[in-house]
Amino acid sequence: RLNNATTWFRFVAGQSHDEDNDLPRASLVMARPVTGRWHQVRRHLNGLSHPILGDTSHGASQTNREWKEQRNMPGERTCLHLARMQLPPNEVAPAGIDVCCPLEDDMMQMMQIHMPKVLEEAEPILQEEGIQIRPDPSNDMVQVLPYKVPDLDLDKRKAVHALNQQSINILSQGPYHVVV
């Protein structure tokens, strides 16, 4: 049985392999799932030939092995991070919920050492999106913000609804992805 699953991706920053400075090819991508399916983001990125680093189920084992052996990535680390979660108002949370969580120390350290240009390029873009990747030194708690409906998400939901109402030309299809 095939379940519809939609995820919006935004390429934030990336770097090519740089042998001179021993920097690996890597990128940072922001994912916004429209639906909620098991392993959805992991499957979609792998289906687009951009697996998540450290993902043992849907990732690239040779790349994962290289990062563990040569770049000290912890053995059980999957480089997938829920940086911000927004839930609209509902019966349980009438004001909605908007929660931010900075990167864990090990992920931040991997980016600082192996992806410094990506980190530098990504930070202002992520801040623009309301995503804080560095912890606030004055606050050791997760930041909970008042919920506001992002215009972009409404536009995307309208676009998905419009797509569901019309016939779609499938350009490419794999076990975990469809390009329309």
Side-chain angles (χ1 to χ4, degrees), residues 2 15 52 113 118 121 140 152 176:
L2 182 65
Q15 68 187 22
I52 296 170
I113 294 169
V118 171
E121 189 179 329
D140 62 353
L152 193 58
Y176 301 114

Coordinates of all heavy atoms in Angstrom, one line a residue, residues 2 15 52 113 118 121 140 152 176:
L2 N 0.6 2.2 -0.9 CA 1.4 3.4 -1.0 C 0.7 4.5 -0.3 O -0.5 4.8 -0.6 CB 1.6 3.7 -2.5 CG 2.5 4.9 -2.8 CD1 3.9 4.7 -2.4 CD2 2.4 5.2 -4.3
Q15 N 29.3 22.1 0.6 CA 30.7 22.3 0.2 C 31.1 21.1 -0.7 O 30.6 20.0 -0.4 CB 31.7 22.4 1.4 CG 31.8 21.2 2.2 CD 32.6 21.4 3.5 OE1 32.7 22.5 4.0 NE2 33.1 20.3 4.1
I52 N 21.2 10.9 4.6 CA 21.6 11.6 5.8 C 22.8 10.9 6.4 O 22.8 9.6 6.5 CB 20.4 11.6 6.8 CG1 19.3 12.4 6.3 CG2 20.9 12.2 8.2 CD1 18.0 12.3 7.1
I113 N 34.5 21.6 12.7 CA 35.8 21.0 12.2 C 35.8 20.6 10.7 O 36.7 21.0 10.0 CB 36.1 19.8 13.1 CG1 36.4 20.2 14.5 CG2 37.3 19.0 12.5 CD1 36.5 19.0 15.5
V118 N 30.2 25.7 5.5 CA 28.8 25.4 5.5 C 28.1 26.0 6.7 O 27.1 26.7 6.6 CB 28.5 23.9 5.4 CG1 27.1 23.5 5.7 CG2 29.1 23.2 4.2
E121 N 28.0 29.8 6.2 CA 27.0 30.2 5.3 C 25.5 29.9 5.7 O 24.6 30.7 5.4 CB 27.2 29.4 4.0 CG 26.4 29.9 2.8 CD 26.8 29.1 1.5 OE1 27.9 28.7 1.4 OE2 25.9 28.9 0.7
D140 N 19.7 27.7 29.5 CA 20.0 26.3 29.3 C 18.8 25.4 29.0 O 18.8 24.2 29.0 CB 20.8 25.7 30.5 CG 20.0 25.7 31.8 OD1 18.9 26.3 31.8 OD2 20.6 25.1 32.8
L152 N 4.6 31.1 4.5 CA 5.2 30.2 3.6 C 4.5 28.8 3.7 O 4.2 28.2 2.7 CB 6.7 30.1 3.8 CG 7.5 29.4 2.8 CD1 7.4 30.1 1.5 CD2 9.0 29.4 3.2
Y176 N 11.3 5.4 -3.0 CA 10.9 6.3 -1.9 C 10.7 7.7 -2.4 O 10.7 8.6 -1.6 CB 12.0 6.3 -0.8 CG 12.2 4.9 -0.2 CD1 13.4 4.3 -0.4 CD2 11.1 4.3 0.5 CE1 13.6 3.0 0.2 CE2 11.3 3.0 1.0 CZ 12.5 2.4 0.9 OH 12.7 1.2 1.4

